[in-house]
Amino acid sequence: MERTANSPPSGAYNQTSFYGRFRHFLDIIDPRTLFVTERRLREAVQLLEDYKHGTLRPGVTNEQLWSAQKIKQAILHPDTNEKIFMPFRMSGYIPFGTPIVVGLLLPNQTLASTVFWQWLNQSHNACVNYANRNATKPSPASKFIQGYLGAVISAVSIAVGLNVLVQKANKFTPATRLLVQRFVPFPAVASANICNVVLMRYGELEEGIDVLDGDGNLVGSSKIAARHALLETALTRVVLPMPILVLPPIVMSMLEKTALLQARPRLLLPVQSLVCLAAFGLALPLAISLFPQMSEIETSQLEPEIARATSSRTVVYNKGL
C-alpha cells in the first residue's frame, strides 16, 4: 500500500481498505506529535489552508502537505478545529494509558486496588471518548458529568463483581485462581467500555449528528447515523482491550518461569510494563482501523427527510474515535 500520489492531504492513505486505515492511524497515534509546538501547528494549518484555496507557495512538496495533515489530524478535533487536551488525544492514549494497564494487570489485587485502577482507567476512557466524540452538536457540561458518573460506576461495579465471583470460586486451585484473576480485567473493561462510550456520547443519540454529501455540504442531522457511529465506536472499544489485557497475562505467565525473572523478581514490573506497552501499541491502531473515521452510509437507510434533502446516494459522518 503506497500513499496516493495526487490525492489531497486528507487522503495520504487509501482508507477504503483496512490496511490503508491502519497506516493512516499509525500517523494519528504517533506520540511524537505530542511535542509539536504551537508555532509548528499554526504553520501546518496555514499550509493546508493555502492548499485548499490554491495559493500554495512554489516548491511545497506532497510530503510537506502530508506531514502538515498528520499534525493537524493528531492535535485538532475534526469538527471544532480546537486542540484536544494532550492526555486525551489518540497520540496520547498509549503513553498515558500504559501505566493504567500495568496497574490493571497487577497480580493479587485487593478490592481497594481493583476499584482504584478501574476508576482511573474508565476516567481516562471517559475523557478520551468525550474529547474524540462527534462534536457537530453542542454538549453541556451536565451531560458530561452524568455520562462520566454512569460510565465509571458501571465499570467499577462490573470489575468488582467479577473479582468477587472468582475469589468465591472454591473449585479453583490457588494457581488457577491467580491465572483467572489476571484475565478478569478483559471482560470487565470490554463491557465497561461499551457503557462508557454510550453514556459519554448519549447526547448524539438524542440530538443526532450532522451528515454531509460528497462535496462536504451539510445535508441534515440524523439520529440513525448517530446510532451507527456509536455502534462502530463501541465495537472498537471491545477489540481494543483484547490484545492489551489478554496477551500480557499469557506472556508474563511464561516469562515468570524463566530463570532470569525467578532470580531477579524486581524485574517483573519493568518487564510487564514493556509487554503492556508493546501490546497497547499493537492494539490501538488495529482497533480504531476497523472503521473509517469519516464513515459512509446510504441515504435510503436514514430518515426520510435526509433522503429527500439530497440527490446523493450516500452521505458521510464523523464516527468519532
Side-chain angles (χ1 to χ4, degrees), residues 87-88 93 95-106 109 111-129 144 148 151-157 159-160 189 192-193 196 280:
F88 310 142
Y93 208 169
F96 288 97
T98 298
I100 299 173
V101 172
V102 174
L104 283 170
L105 293 174
L106 290 174
Q109 297 257 15
L111 180 62
S113 66
T114 298
V115 170
F116 171 75
W117 288 112
Q118 287 290 346
W119 165 77
L120 193 60
N121 180 52
Q122 291 304 327
S123 294
H124 185 232
N125 285 345
C127 292
V128 169
N129 289 336
F144 171 81
Y148 169 77
V152 171
I153 291 169
S154 64
V156 173
S157 300
V160 171
V189 169
N193 281 356
N196 201 318
F280 210 154

Side-chain angles (χ1 to χ4, degrees), residues 61-272:
T61 64
N62 276 350
E63 285 300 320
Q64 288 174 300
L65 287 170
W66 283 321
S67 176
Q69 183 70 348
K70 170 181 175 175
I71 290 169
K72 181 183 178 184
Q73 289 182 332
I75 298 174
L76 301 183
H77 193 286
D79 294 330
T80 64
N81 279 323
E82 294 178 357
K83 285 178 70 173
I84 298 172
F85 187 45
M86 190 184 291
F88 310 142
R89 297 175 196 165
M90 281 297 157
S91 54
Y93 208 169
I94 294 173
F96 288 97
T98 298
I100 299 173
V101 172
V102 174
L104 283 170
L105 293 174
L106 290 174
N108 301 314
Q109 297 257 15
T110 64
L111 180 62
S113 66
T114 298
V115 170
F116 171 75
W117 288 112
Q118 287 290 346
W119 165 77
L120 193 60
N121 180 52
Q122 291 304 327
S123 294
H124 185 232
N125 285 345
C127 292
V128 169
N129 289 336
Y130 186 79
N132 293 279
R133 72 195 187 283
N134 179 297
T136 54
K137 296 285 186 296
S139 181
S142 59
K143 292 283 186 183
F144 171 81
I145 294 169
Q146 288 172 12
Y148 169 77
L149 290 174
V152 171
I153 291 169
S154 64
V156 173
S157 300
I158 292 167
V160 171
L162 285 172
N163 266 317
V164 169
L165 283 175
V166 170
Q167 288 167 2
K168 288 186 175 180
N170 298 322
K171 294 180 181 178
F172 293 147
T173 64
T176 304
R177 185 180 290 115
L178 179 61
L179 187 63
V180 172
Q181 278 181 314
R182 280 184 154 178
F183 285 99
V184 161
F186 171 64
V189 169
S191 50
N193 281 356
I194 295 174
C195 296
N196 201 318
V197 168
V198 173
L199 290 169
M200 291 307 301
R201 295 177 56 180
Y202 188 74
E204 295 172 36
L205 294 176
E206 292 182 320
E207 302 287 334
I209 59 175
D210 289 351
V211 294
L212 313 172
D213 63 19
D215 297 320
N217 300 313
L218 177 64
V219 176
S221 184
S222 171
K223 294 181 181 180
I224 296 175
R227 287 205 300 270
H228 280 261
L230 261 66
L231 176 61
E232 291 171 351
T233 306
L235 286 173
T236 68
R237 294 304 192 272
V238 172
V239 173
L240 175 59
M242 199 178 294
I244 301 171
L245 298 177
V246 173
L247 288 179
I250 295 172
V251 173
M252 289 306 299
S253 65
M254 294 186 290
L255 291 179
E256 285 167 1
K257 297 173 184 174
T258 61
L260 175 66
L261 290 184
Q262 286 188 344
R264 297 175 176 82
R266 289 183 179 180
L267 291 176
L268 277 172
L269 189 58
V271 169
Q272 179 162 322

Side-chain angles (χ1 to χ4, degrees), residues 264-299:
R264 297 175 176 82
R266 289 183 179 180
L267 291 176
L268 277 172
L269 189 58
V271 169
Q272 179 162 322
S273 300
L274 288 174
V275 171
C276 290
L277 181 64
F280 210 154
L282 170 70
L284 183 59
L286 283 175
I288 60 179
S289 299
L290 290 175
F291 306 100
Q293 182 170 1
M294 296 304 294
S295 290
E296 191 174 47
I297 187 170
E298 292 187 4
T299 52

